[in-house]
Amino acid sequence: MDPKKSDKELINELTLRFEKNNALLKEQHSLLNELQKVNKKLIASEGLKSNFLSNIRNEINNPVASILELSKNISEGTLSVDAVKKFASLIYSETFSLDFQLRNIFASAEIEAGESIVCPVSIKLPSLIETILLSFKHQIEKKNIQIFVSTSIADDENFCSDPEKLHLILSNLISNAVQFSREGTSIEIKFEIENDQFIFSVLDNGMGISTEEKEIIFDRFRQIEEGSTKNYGGHGLGLSITRALLELIDGEIKVESEKNVGSFFSICVNEAKESTIEKDIYSTDGNDFIFVDNDSLVF
Amino acid sequence: MLTETINKHYLFPSTLFAERDAHVIDTILGSCVAVCLFDTKLKIGGMNHYMLPLWNGEGLASPKFGNIANEKLVEKMIRMGSHPQNLVAKLFGGANQINSSINIGDRNIQIAKEQLHAFGIKTIKESLGGSIGRKIRFNSSTGEVLMKFLTKP
C-alpha cells in the first residue's frame, strides 16, 4: 500500500475491500444454495427414475389384464353380437391408452439417448389434428366433453415440420386437456399459421395448475398428484417429452392456468425450411468446405 | 474427402450419433460444443452436440447437457466395441456470444475437458472458444474433421 496515503484514505480502501469480500462471500453463499437445490432435485429425479417401473406397473398391468380377459371372453364364442361389439370397443380403448403410454415411454428413451432424429416434410395440419382428435374420440365421449375447434388454415395449406413429433406433441396436449377436464365441460382448440409459425392452443376447464406447480409439470416422472391414491393416470412423462420434442423441432410451449378453473397451453413451432435442409444440411458437393480462405481448417 | 459415396448424417443439437458404418456427420455450432470421438484401432467414430454444460434435474436427462452427452457418447463407443484407451477426441465449438454474461461456451468447453480427462481420453485436436460459430464435418471412418468458421455476425 502507498505509504503516503492518509488514514482516511486507508480506511476507505479497507472498507472497499471488506465490501468486496462480503459481496464475494454472499455470491458464494447463493451459489452453494443453488447447488444444494439442484442436488436435491437430482436426488429426487433419480429416485423417481428407479421407481419408474413400479410407478407405471399399474398403468401397464391394468389394461393388459382387461384386454386378456375381454379377448378370452370373445374367443369363447358364447357372447351375443352386441356384447362382442361392446367388448371389442373396450379392448380398443384399453389398447389405445396403452399404445399412447408406450409411445411416450419410447419417445422419452429416444430423446434421452440423443437418438431422436428430426425429419421435416410438408404436413397438412388440419388433417393431422383431425386424426388426433378422432383417435381420442372414445375418451372424449366417455367424459361427455365438447370440443370446439377453430382455425383459418385452409385444408390444402402445407406446413413443413416433423409430423411424427408434432403428432406426439399435440396428442399429449389434447390427452392432458381431456384427462384433466371435469365431465361435461368443454375444450377449445385453436390453431393458425402466422409468419411461418404454427401456433396451437388448447384451453380446458379442468383442475388447473398453481404457480408453484408450473415449475414441476415439465420435469420427468412428475405429476401434481403423486402416489398410489392419485386420481389421474399417466406417469408424468407427457409434458417433459412435449417440451423436449418442441426444442428439437424449433418450437416452444407456454402455459397459463388458474387452480380449479382451467389451463391454457399454447405452442408455437417455427417452420422448417425444406430448402435449407436440402442445401445446407445434406450438401453433397462439399463446396462449403473448400479451403480458399484462412477461415477454413482441417483437423 | 469424398462425400458422394458415403452415408450422411446431420447432427441436430441435443442428439448424438455413432454407428459402425462410415458416415459423414455435419453440424453447426455456436456456443454449443461437439465432441468427436474416434477409435484409432477399429476406425469408427461418433459425435455429440450439446447446448448446456450440466443437467440440473429439469426436463428429460437428454444429451442437451454436456455431462450426459459426453457420458452417453463414450458409452455408445464402448458398446460398439471400443476400448477407451483407443479413443481420441477432437473438440469444437463453445463460442461465446458477445452479449452473454454467463459464458455458456466456456462452461461447455470446461465440462468436455474434465470428462474426457476422467475417461482417460486424449484430446488430439481442438478449435474452441472465440466469438464466431463453426460448421464442422466429421468423417467417422477416418477421424478427419473439416471445419469452417461461419461468416461474422
Side-chain angles (χ1 to χ4, degrees):
Chain A
M1 222 173 276
D2 189 350
K4 280 175 204 156
K5 273 188 179 164
S6 71
D7 286 355
K8 205 177 167 186
E9 276 174 328
L10 272 175
I11 287 173
N12 278 344
E13 173 83 31
L14 280 175
T15 324
L16 235 128
R17 289 192 187 188
F18 270 123
E19 273 170 9
K20 225 179 179 176
N21 242 343
N22 272 337
L24 275 175
L25 269 177
K26 225 176 172 179
E27 200 186 321
Q28 208 177 25
H29 194 72
S30 80
L31 280 175
L32 190 67
N33 266 340
E34 192 81 0
L35 197 63
Q36 276 169 336
K37 238 192 268 168
V38 171
N39 199 24
K40 249 187 216 162
K41 211 165 177 180
L42 289 175
I43 290 168
S45 183
E46 273 313 299
L48 286 167
K49 192 177 185 179
S50 46
N51 287 334
F52 182 61
L53 269 183
S54 62
N55 283 344
I56 64 159
R57 200 173 55 191
N58 286 345
E59 305 282 337
I60 305 242
N61 267 353
N62 295 351
V64 171
S66 347
I67 293 166
L68 272 177
E69 198 51 37
L70 290 163
S71 53
K72 191 176 126 208
N73 280 329
I74 294 179
S75 64
E76 276 165 3
T78 51
L79 294 169
S80 70
V81 174
D82 279 351
V84 170
K85 267 190 192 163
K86 200 178 142 203
F87 280 22
S89 136
L90 283 171
I91 290 176
Y92 173 81
S93 83
E94 293 289 351
T95 316
F96 175 80
S97 82
L98 198 58
D99 175 59
F100 183 57
Q101 311 241 23
L102 291 177
R103 275 197 293 145
N104 266 338
I105 291 169
F106 294 141
S108 79
E110 229 174 58
I111 295 166
E112 293 207 338
E115 285 165 1
S116 201
I117 291 164
V118 183
C119 309
V121 292
S122 282
I123 312 169
K124 294 201 169 24
L125 292 166
S127 84
L128 176 74
I129 290 163
E130 206 184 305
T131 316
I132 296 169
L133 282 173
L134 212 63
S135 70
F136 283 98
K137 199 173 145 227
H138 255 83
Q139 276 150 287
I140 292 166
E141 281 172 358
K142 208 164 119 195
K143 289 186 87 171
N144 192 22
I145 289 168
Q146 268 197 298
I147 308 262
F148 298 102
V149 183
S150 70
T151 179
S152 60
I153 302 180
D155 282 344
D156 57 352
E157 197 171 340
N158 283 319
F159 184 81
C160 183
S161 191
D162 185 313
E164 215 174 292
K165 298 201 168 34
L166 216 46
H167 190 284
L168 197 53
I169 290 166
L170 299 176
S171 298
N172 269 305
L173 292 177
I174 292 170
S175 164
N176 278 352
V178 174
Q179 194 179 5
F180 295 110
S181 275
R182 286 183 289 267
E183 270 186 40
T185 56
S186 64
I187 292 172
E188 271 177 60
I189 291 171
K190 279 188 190 152
F191 59 100
E192 302 296 338
I193 298 174
E194 272 170 33
N195 307 324
D196 297 333
Q197 275 189 329
F198 167 53
I199 297 159
F200 174 95
S201 67
V202 49
L203 173 73
D204 67 49
N205 296 288
M207 60 181 279
I209 305 154
S210 69
T211 316
E212 308 87 67
E213 291 164 348
K214 268 186 211 167
E215 301 277 317
I216 70 155
I217 55 170
F218 293 105
D219 290 349
R220 61 176 192 177
F221 315 131
R222 293 293 299 271
Q223 286 181 299
I224 291 169
E225 278 190 324
E226 278 168 353
S228 53
T229 57
K230 62 183 188 177
N231 290 319
Y232 301 97
H235 36 63
L237 275 176
L239 283 173
S240 57
I241 292 168
T242 302
R243 183 143 83 177
L245 287 176
L246 277 166
E247 270 177 17
L248 279 176
I249 62 170
D250 192 14
E252 52 181 53
I253 183 162
K254 280 187 201 127
V255 53
E256 285 164 44
S257 187
E258 198 177 324
K259 196 83 191 160
N260 298 321
V261 177
S263 306
F264 176 79
F265 282 88
S266 68
I267 62 164
C268 79
V269 178
N270 289 312
E271 179 152 31
K273 296 270 179 290
E274 251 173 323
S275 57
T276 47
I277 287 157
E278 302 256 302
K279 198 172 113 242
D280 240 314
I281 295 172
Y282 294 108
S283 121
T284 47
D285 49 21
N287 274 338
D288 289 337
F289 296 95
I290 287 176
F291 307 113
V292 285
D293 53 39
N294 295 333
D295 268 359
S296 307
L297 303 151
V298 186
F299 287 84
Chain B
M1 196 189 283
L2 280 176
T3 56
E4 282 78 10
T5 52
I6 194 167
N7 293 320
K8 289 173 196 70
H9 183 81
Y10 180 79
L11 192 69
F12 278 90
S14 310
T15 64
L16 57 87
F17 185 85
E19 267 177 30
R20 272 173 199 282
D21 301 346
H23 275 81
V24 158
I25 312 167
D26 281 355
T27 204
I28 293 172
L29 303 158
S31 62
C32 296
V33 163
V35 174
C36 306
L37 288 184
F38 183 66
D39 186 316
T40 49
K41 279 239 170 78
L42 299 177
K43 309 287 176 204
I44 54 173
M47 177 158 115
N48 65 18
H49 177 162
Y50 60 88
M51 303 164 83
L52 296 169
L54 292 165
W55 183 54
N56 60 3
E58 274 168 22
L60 296 174
S62 74
K64 177 183 176 183
F65 307 97
N67 59 336
I68 289 164
N70 293 325
E71 211 178 288
K72 290 226 158 122
L73 182 61
V74 174
E75 271 172 22
K76 190 142 191 203
M77 293 300 295
I78 292 171
R79 273 212 304 279
M80 294 200 309
S82 290
H83 291 287
Q85 67 264 29
N86 296 333
L87 291 175
V88 291
K90 297 182 180 182
L91 311 183
F92 301 92
N96 283 304
Q97 255 64 44
I98 299 144
N99 294 325
S100 156
S101 57
I102 36 174
N103 294 342
I104 292 287
D106 289 345
R107 295 200 288 143
N108 280 339
I109 294 167
Q110 196 191 344
I111 191 83
K113 292 196 164 169
E114 280 170 13
Q115 281 186 291
L116 289 171
H117 181 76
F119 281 118
I121 296 170
K122 219 170 120 190
T123 301
I124 52 166
K125 290 278 169 62
E126 62 179 45
S127 170
L128 296 163
S131 60
I132 305 166
R134 296 165 171 85
K135 184 169 180 172
I136 62 169
R137 172 170 288 177
F138 174 50
N139 185 325
S140 74
S141 63
T142 64
E144 192 182 19
V145 177
L146 302 182
M147 190 193 87
K148 188 175 162 65
F149 280 109
L150 301 175
T151 8
K152 282 164 205 179

